[in-house]
Amino acid sequence: MDLELYSADDRFCMKLDQDDALLGSYPVDDGCRIHVIDRSGARLGEYEDLSQVEKFELSQSAYESRTDSVRSFLKRSKMGKFNEEEQKRREAEAAQRLADEQAQAQAITVGSRCQVRAAGQPTKRGTVMYVGLTDFKPGYWVGVRYDEPLGKHDGSVNGKRYFECQDKYGAFVKPHTVTVGHFPEEDYGLDDDEM
């Protein structure tokens, strides 16, 4: 490649052609630009179509037989999915979490007034509209219709409707963040007809 130095008012100054020279040894000031001329012969967009790039592929059996692979290291070290005890412990923890969520969810009934306290967010009030498993994420979820437009959706996620509400009034939260009880809608005194 060739490098050319242009001044702030876009006038050619000089070629930067000394390979052993530092950039500071040239008269580069604020506003100058360095123009790069590609002499490699590469065509514009030559490598943008990835279907034209030959890919290295290794069969599963060939990869399995290698001793210098990540999989081989994990097996030798009994790490990750190759550590049966760790995998069983994780599965047991996941099953316990699911059982705990299920017990919490069973204590929440659809139609109840509730208060939601999620970490890092203000406390929100609303009505429980859905309790159960969902298609969008594993575990038990509580669908809440908030009193104010503090939600994320209208009761549907990824095209599946779980409950009905206005847009931005619906949200799904984990059961441990929901407290069911007497939580009437808050009156901020902002109604126009009271003035």
Side-chain angles (χ1 to χ4, degrees):
M1 74 178 92
D2 293 335
L3 301 177
E4 297 177 344
L5 179 64
Y6 285 82
S7 67
D9 57 356
D10 215 27
R11 283 184 294 126
F12 174 77
C13 295
M14 64 187 319
K15 285 187 175 267
L16 308 179
D17 54 5
Q18 296 177 8
D19 290 342
D20 57 346
L22 299 174
L23 185 60
S25 65
Y26 291 104
V28 178
D29 288 325
D30 288 344
C32 288
R33 73 176 170 93
I34 298 174
H35 184 77
V36 180
I37 301 169
D38 184 8
R39 302 267 186 226
S40 69
R43 295 185 316 269
L44 186 62
E46 180 178 9
Y47 299 108
E48 291 179 13
D49 182 5
L50 297 180
S51 67
Q52 302 299 315
V53 179
E54 187 178 339
K55 293 175 181 53
F56 173 77
E57 292 188 16
L58 188 65
S59 70
Q60 285 293 331
S61 59
Y63 183 69
E64 191 69 41
S65 67
R66 294 186 69 125
T67 59
D68 60 347
S69 67
V70 172
R71 183 181 297 164
S72 174
F73 171 78
L74 292 174
K75 280 183 176 179
R76 277 193 315 271
S77 305
K78 296 190 181 209
M79 295 173 69
K81 67 181 181 181
F82 301 106
N83 183 339
E84 290 181 25
E85 290 175 12
E86 179 68 17
Q87 284 298 101
K88 286 179 184 175
R89 186 184 65 76
R90 286 184 182 176
E91 289 170 5
E93 284 177 1
Q96 183 60 48
R97 267 195 311 273
L98 189 62
D100 291 347
E101 276 185 7
Q102 182 180 18
Q104 292 168 344
Q106 287 174 340
I108 300 170
T109 55
V110 172
S112 301
R113 290 291 297 163
C114 68
Q115 183 168 276
V116 177
R117 290 181 185 253
Q121 295 184 12
T123 300
K124 304 170 193 172
R125 289 186 177 185
T127 304
V128 175
M129 302 297 287
Y130 177 88
V131 179
L133 300 171
T134 64
D135 291 339
F136 59 86
K137 278 193 177 177
Y140 284 83
W141 292 87
V142 178
V144 178
R145 180 187 68 215
Y146 291 131
D147 297 337
E148 302 291 325
L150 302 170
K152 296 182 176 183
H153 51 71
D154 64 353
S156 64
V157 178
N158 297 335
K160 181 171 180 180
R161 177 148 312 277
Y162 292 91
F163 60 92
E164 296 275 344
C165 70
Q166 292 178 327
D167 194 26
K168 302 294 183 197
Y169 280 75
F172 279 96
V173 294
K174 293 307 251 175
H176 72 272
T177 65
V178 177
T179 304
V180 174
H182 179 67
F183 298 106
E185 286 190 43
E186 301 213 24
D187 182 12
Y188 298 105
L190 301 176
D191 293 336
D192 292 335
D193 56 347
E194 292 181 8
M195 292 186 172

